[in-house]
Amino acid sequence: MSEELSPSPGHEKWSALLEQVALHRDKRAFAELFEHFAPLLKAYLFSIGGRSLNDASVEELVQEAMLSVWRKAPLYDRKKAAASTWIYTLTRNLRIDWLRRQNRQEAEELPDEWEDADEHEPVVSLHLHKLNHELNHSLKQLPIDQKEVLMKVYMEDKSHQDVAMELNLPLGTVKSRVRLALQKLKVNLSHVEL
Amino acid sequence: MSHFHPQPEWLTEYAAGSLDWPMALAVGVHLHYCPACRQAVQQLDAVGGALLEELTPMAVSAGLKASVMAMLDDVPVLPVQKTKAPDVPALLKRWVPQGYTDLRWRRVLPVLHEVMLEKNRDIKVALHRIAPGGKISSHTHTGQEITVVLSGHFSDELGMYADGDFILRTGEHQHSPRASQNEECICLTIVQGGLKVSGLLGVLVNPFLR
């Protein structure tokens, strides 16, 4: 794969560190990942947790997520996802399982089943490479109102409907802002759009 | 390759982690069968990763790093090869460890068997098995019903569905699903808010489907 098609250069460092962890159980590489990602995951869980997560459980989940990064690093493939994407999905799934445990008052851990659901395609499309490469840049170009709804859906645990109510907008407006934003980020949903 | 997919908002909410669990389960099971939706979710996940990096980092407590570092040696190494029965989506393995035939199917109607996976006040998650040619009496929904086909085919007034197809029915639709003549059809069904059977069998079936 040519250099210019890899996820954007800033990401190379984190991908390389993840590979170090995968191949050599390299604790120094892991410590660097921890320093970068643990505060981001804390911000994420805080933002998305709302009332359902208190301070102690946020850090507990950050810890659980970082330990998962250590354990699952061998599954990471830099050709398919930026390190931040991989760590994001892993934490998102942990949180879903955590919420589910809370609701069911179950002590036992649920099996790692989401990872398989998200299992990526064996073939990495050129399109995904292009998207990964340009994503951080195109995110900065988004109009504020489009980025706002995207942030709410992804980082605040809100459905399109919730966002519409919060911003006092028609549901259709929220849907079209999300759709426009995703189009600009080159997310291809053509097979499900009418 | 499926022909019926979750709507784009659902795929986005799935990637964003904001879809409620039973719906996320249905989308996740659909992904097992649908390369197009898997690719879409892969891209939507990447958006999540990029947005994560847009957040303002929050300092973690002083001892957290040290305590995580101290645990690393005790973390079991991930077995590289995952065991995989190819026919059952990973998300259903917990309930279907060996395959669909070994489950304890409960008879609801002569042509309909059921395994309840989860049930509470407002939601019912179940597997249904319709016998070849079996027809379920016409019903509407007070909430919504999601069906994901796991094996075989069925059809109703609105279409014909096969492996991985994702079908959403709400109060607007009245339908009577029927399995194809030559094989049984197994589906994952998620019912929110109950359904009303409108046909002659309604009186008999309602207590079971509620």
Side-chain angles (χ1 to χ4, degrees):
Chain A
M1 210 45 70
S2 76
E3 196 54 39
E4 57 184 4
L5 277 177
S6 322
S8 59
H11 287 166
E12 291 301 308
K13 178 181 170 190
W14 309 119
S15 306
L17 288 171
L18 264 181
E19 281 178 342
Q20 288 299 306
V21 171
L23 291 172
H24 309 297
R25 311 310 281 159
D26 182 336
K27 289 185 185 168
R28 283 214 338 241
F30 180 79
E32 265 196 76
L33 287 165
F34 187 98
E35 279 156 26
H36 180 69
F37 283 105
L40 286 173
L41 294 183
K42 183 169 177 181
Y44 166 67
L45 291 164
F46 234 97
S47 165
I48 204 167
R51 278 159 298 161
S52 63
L53 283 173
N54 61 27
D55 205 81
S57 23
V58 164
E59 292 225 332
E60 205 177 295
L61 271 174
V62 170
Q63 172 172 315
E64 209 180 314
M66 290 310 298
L67 287 172
S68 277
V69 168
W70 173 258
R71 191 164 64 92
K72 293 183 175 170
L75 297 179
Y76 175 67
D77 181 346
R78 73 194 297 172
K79 293 201 293 295
K80 294 175 183 168
S84 58
T85 298
W86 188 72
I87 293 174
Y88 161 76
T89 55
L90 202 139
T91 309
R92 175 198 69 197
N93 297 341
L94 273 178
R95 178 183 156 272
I96 293 173
D97 286 344
W98 187 88
L99 284 174
R100 205 163 129 64
R101 284 204 301 274
Q102 299 305 107
N103 290 336
R104 293 161 53 95
Q105 337 263 270
E106 269 178 5
E108 90 260 35
E109 201 170 322
L110 290 165
D112 278 338
E113 42 197 20
W114 294 104
E115 307 314 319
D116 293 318
D118 290 336
E119 204 163 81
H120 295 317
E121 286 300 286
V123 182
V124 185
S125 69
L126 207 60
H127 180 80
L128 183 67
H129 269 285
K130 199 167 151 54
L131 174 132
N132 277 333
H133 184 64
E134 294 169 8
L135 196 51
N136 292 71
H137 178 70
S138 32
L139 208 49
K140 303 228 185 309
Q141 311 294 312
L142 279 190
I144 288 167
D145 58 352
Q146 288 174 21
K147 188 162 171 193
E148 181 189 28
V149 292
L150 211 53
M151 275 311 247
K152 285 188 183 298
V153 169
Y154 272 89
M155 297 289 139
E156 294 180 21
D157 196 22
K158 297 202 165 101
S159 66
H160 290 65
Q161 182 68 57
D162 298 333
V163 177
M165 290 197 314
E166 187 190 325
L167 299 179
N168 202 14
L169 290 167
L171 178 60
T173 308
V174 172
K175 284 187 181 176
S176 74
R177 280 187 194 172
V178 172
R179 200 177 59 234
L180 286 172
L182 293 175
Q183 267 168 18
K184 288 191 182 124
L185 300 178
K186 303 224 166 70
V187 173
N188 181 1
L189 293 173
S190 56
H191 78 291
V192 279
E193 272 161 357
L194 301 172
Chain B
M1 178 74 197
S2 333
H3 292 98
F4 297 87
H5 309 277
Q7 57 211 66
E9 295 80 35
W10 284 41
L11 291 178
T12 308
E13 289 175 10
Y14 176 87
S18 58
L19 206 55
D20 288 339
W21 178 79
M23 273 71 87
L25 174 73
V27 173
V29 168
H30 171 76
L31 292 180
H32 174 86
Y33 299 93
C34 181
C37 282
R38 280 203 299 272
Q39 287 189 7
V41 167
Q42 211 174 3
Q43 297 168 36
L44 290 164
D45 284 348
V47 173
L51 289 172
L52 175 70
E53 297 210 89
E54 295 272 307
L55 295 175
T56 311
M58 277 174 82
V60 294
S61 16
L64 191 66
K65 184 177 159 199
S67 79
V68 169
M69 296 301 293
M71 287 183 217
L72 297 183
D73 287 332
D74 298 327
V75 176
V77 175
L78 192 81
V80 173
Q81 210 56 355
K82 285 178 274 182
T83 47
K84 243 181 196 179
D87 295 347
V88 181
L91 281 167
L92 296 177
K93 282 287 166 54
R94 175 157 35 123
W95 297 289
V96 192
Q98 306 291 336
Y100 299 112
T101 41
D102 295 336
L103 298 176
R104 284 201 200 154
W105 292 97
R106 190 181 67 92
R107 198 181 102 134
V108 180
L109 292 169
V111 294
L112 177 69
H113 285 72
E114 176 180 79
V115 178
M116 188 68 68
L117 306 184
E118 293 226 0
K119 190 179 186 177
N120 63 33
R121 260 177 305 130
D122 16 68
I123 204 135
K124 188 182 108 167
V125 180
L127 298 178
H128 283 115
R129 199 182 78 200
I130 315 174
K135 188 175 177 211
I136 313 297
S137 52
S138 178
H139 59 272
T140 53
H141 309 102
T142 55
Q144 60 178 11
E145 180 191 71
I146 302 166
T147 306
V148 185
V149 181
L150 303 172
S151 94
H153 301 78
F154 85 88
S155 54
D156 65 10
E157 290 79 349
L158 299 169
M160 158 121 182
Y161 317 101
D163 288 14
D165 278 338
F166 185 101
I167 305 118
L168 174 67
R169 294 283 177 263
T170 62
E172 304 146 36
H173 313 101
Q174 168 161 336
H175 73 150
S176 40
R178 171 177 231 140
S180 59
Q181 292 298 331
N182 54 349
E183 58 181 336
E184 61 181 18
C185 178
I186 299 175
C187 300
L188 170 71
T189 314
I190 293 166
V191 180
Q192 273 178 310
L195 63 166
K196 277 197 339 225
V197 180
S198 36
L200 191 61
L201 272 166
V203 189
L204 287 169
V205 184
N206 262 323
F208 296 102
L209 293 181
R210 228 182 342 245

